Amino acid sequence: MTETLTALPASVREVFQTVVARNPHEPEFQQAVHEVLVSIAPVLDEHPQFVDGGILERIVEPERQIMFRVPWVDDAGRLQVNRGYRVQFSSVLGPYKGGLRFHPSVNLSIVKFLGFEQIFKNALTGQGIGGAKGGSDFDPHGRSDAEVMRFCQSFMSELYRHLGEHTDVPAGDIGVGAREIGYLFGQYRKITNRHESGMFTGKGVQWGGAEVRTEATGYGAVFFAEEMLRIHRRSLEGLRVSVSGSGNVAIYAIDKAWQLGATPVTASDSSGYVVDDDGIDVALLRQVKEQERARISEYAARRPNARFVDGARPWEVPVDVAIPSATQNELDESDARALIDNGVRAVAEGANMPSTPGAVAALQGAGVLFGPGKAANAGGVATSALEMSQNASRQRWSFSDSERKLRSIMKDVHDAAFEAADRYGHGGDYVVGANSAGFERVAHAMLAQGVI
Ligand code: NDP
């Protein structure tokens, strides 16, 4: 953790100390647990049965952690070995559910922070899904399709035994898009001899995938921003929006921002960001990032009024709304201050934990509407649950029906977080609201199901 963490209430201090002692080299996991513990203290005061039932001690420990070797052969005939992970955090509300991330930065701490967050996010959607996350330190960048396929086949050759439509249902995340999901699903089908559509979400729409799943996280984050603004009798119409990232979440956040009358002006990747005062051209961005798998500077090279800023993040650009959609801890306190100084009104997190604790405190302290990822990016997993329903009932819903459902789910997620924040005396604080509403649901189910 790069920034000082705020003091913890006495009711949760001991649990956090145990988490730190047991997981000493896992700063991201500690950060995610800390954020939840700080914000659910009022829930514990009101529900002493959660403390007596040992809910906290149990919820911070994954039900199961799987780590495995992933050997594969590259195009030059050399043996490569990566490490695979699946952390199955909680199945109290339904089968484990959460994405797979392929990125060189992946380690146990990252997978555990994501899996922990996923429990409460999934609970907040109101659907019957548990929390999990997985992935590998494999880097798909610069790898041929054949190498990616061989890696995915090796990865699934181990992971398949832990998955299943009633057990654990993965999806995509950073570095795991349509191509990787296809290869992973294909290998699962071959090994098990089962075309078990419900064991993976984010599938191609031609073979069991749901309409709007690809768009859902980005669209959902923009719907969430719209809901926060609506409470203050504002809309997105005419506002300038900055988005970070240029992957699945970012592209569709930019797309939906345009559709709702805003002008998205930035996109980024790990090399830097582009700012385009004419508004980001979604078709060109998709061409550069999805088709050519090129660097973001290529976008600026082809747009007359766009410029590439090397090695920087887009938060210095003046905007009304910011939607961080790349990765964890990509918006720190000084970025938050730059946004505030430039008059930002709302921040909705498309990524998981993109804002550091210092950034969140600064934004909330300045009265900026702040939608944490647990709520604002829940549209992706909620639409995954819709994909599971369609697979189970062998139905296919249209794009417009699915988008209508997504919009209504995002309104419900917003309202649940807003209402819980109010109920616990933290009106307008969506961090407290999202954590409290998600935690309440999980804790009640854990109490009902006994000590397991
Ligand atoms: P993608 O792989 O499609 O895109 C990731 C984007 O973020 C790329 O532009 C990538 O740039 C950039 N990025 C990744 N790591 C870094 C880094 N360390 N520094 C700067 N930029 C970085 O992933 P998604 O769009 O699916 O995921 C983005 C975020 O949204 C993640 O936090 C993920 O957990 C979260 N999320 C995703 C959901 C989904 O449905 N896909 C659901 C809910 C949350 P580069 O190409 O240079 O690596």
Side-chain angles (χ1 to χ4, degrees), residues 101 141 173-175 213 217 246-249 269-270 295 326 351-352:
R101 175 177 292 192
H141 286 114
D173 191 80
I174 292 177
R213 174 59 191 91
T217 308
S246 49
N248 174 258
V249 179
D269 66 14
S270 46
R295 300 278 78 194
N352 285 310

Side-chain angles (χ1 to χ4, degrees), residues 250-287:
I251 285 173
Y252 292 102
I254 290 169
D255 193 30
K256 185 51 70 181
W258 272 122
Q259 289 175 24
L260 295 182
T263 306
V265 292
T266 70
S268 71
D269 66 14
S270 46
S271 68
Y273 76 88
V274 291
V275 54
D276 185 342
D277 284 324
D278 296 335
I280 296 288
D281 178 334
V282 181
L284 176 59
L285 185 64
R286 293 190 64 177
Q287 171 67 28

Side-chain angles (χ1 to χ4, degrees), residues 101 103 105 114 121 133 141 172-176 213-214 217 244-250 268-271 289 295 325-328 330 350-353 377-378 380-381:
R101 175 177 292 192
H103 192 273
S105 65
L114 290 163
K121 179 191 310 188
K133 203 79 186 190
H141 286 114
D173 191 80
I174 292 177
V176 179
R213 174 59 191 91
T214 308
T217 308
S244 62
S246 49
N248 174 258
V249 179
S268 71
D269 66 14
S270 46
S271 68
K289 297 303 294 187
R295 300 278 78 194
S325 304
T327 193
Q328 65 276 353
E330 55 158 319
N352 285 310
M353 209 169 75
N377 72 33
V381 75

